Amino acid sequence: MTRSPRRRTRQGATALAAALVALGAVSCTGPGGPPERAPAAPVSPSAASGAGAAPRGFTLVASGDVLPHTSIIARANEDADGDGYDFRPMLAGVRTVVSRADLAICHMETVYGAQGDYSGYPDFKSPPQVAAALRATGYDSCSTASNHTLDDGTDGIARTLGALDRAGVKHAGSARTAKEGRSPAWLRAGGAKVAQLAYTYGTNGYRLPRDRPWAVNLIDRRRIVRDARAARRAGADVVVVSLHWGTEWQDEPDAQQLLLGRRLTASRTKGRPDIDLILGTHAHVPQAYEKVNGTWIVYGMGDQIAGEMFNPEGDQDDRGNMSSIGRFTFAPPARAGQRWRVTKAEFLPQFFDLGSGRVVDVDRAIAHGADLEAVRDRIRRVVLSRGAAQDGLVMR
């Protein structure tokens, strides 16, 4: 479930708010809060590294669902002093982590509304100012394929992708044209050319338009493999696949996630894996990381931004405001044509504090006195539940 019909003050909000103030997470710097690196753009490895130079490695961070409920929209209006919407303060607490990565990927679960026509659950239409906040935080690209992608039809898709374009954020998973639907998001990271592909399990019963079957990418194993191979032929050094999948409120990956993950990571061309990283969203709770067939899978990162969340039993459930950021360090191959390797895999616990309306870097907040040890320990327990620590995954 993704509903958030009302807002309540969380216990301990005063102490956490004090920790957020100490962290400087309740304000943004500058009118646009520009990130510390240039926007990602397509580039060849030789151009990125300099003629004749060996390609550089890079770090990639990825985070979970951005899901603005009505209470989130109201908070953004408050943060804009009632004049529009400002989502930058919500994300300021993770800006340092995101902007310092060479490549940062988010998941924009909802579409954008028009001229004040904004809504939360069940049919989401978010203010387009979300896009500018994502860019100001340092995100380079967002997956846009989700069960809410058709909440406002193809007009919602067009508004969303247009706003992301204007903000300088690439996107994959939904499209305005057939050509766009066939294309990954092309990104630069270190000396690598990176292709991001994105797909969703469904669209909440909304049918794809007959004249625009390419509007949203649906999960199909054969198609994902074809798209990954096409991206590789087009020059991708690293192929990242974002999947909106799984069972809501379930900590463990479900059977479909496990089977599809195994099959996708097993797919190879001339011995080289077709996919280099899988990033999962949708479950609303953190799920495990696992290395399968030599490739890292994040089954679910949880919700990065969401209002008060209610589980299937109808109870308010803090798990719906817990998430992780995955951080992966890629190193170039010894020889051309070989795989770029993940040499370091890390995760960072996150929490969206309803009282302050802020995304919290949990470890930093704990260091400044916030009582979030139980949140951190729960995220760590779930993330490591499938043996990822034995494959080198560490909590930052």
Side-chain angles (χ1 to χ4, degrees), residues 36 81 112 216:
E36 299 171 11
D81 295 324
Y112 299 156
V216 186

Side-chain angles (χ1 to χ4, degrees), residues 24-28 63-66 79 86-98 106 129-139 304-305 325 350 352 357-361:
V26 296
S27 64
C28 291
S63 54
D65 308 45
V66 175
D79 286 333
D86 188 355
F87 292 87
R88 292 173 300 159
M90 289 186 192
L91 289 160
V94 293
R95 183 176 181 273
T96 299
V97 171
V98 172
C106 61
Q129 289 87 343
V130 177
L134 292 169
R135 185 62 199 140
T137 306
Y139 286 105
Q304 183 175 54
I305 290 178
I325 288 181
Q350 283 184 115
F352 188 82
R358 301 291 184 260
V359 176
V360 179
D361 180 331

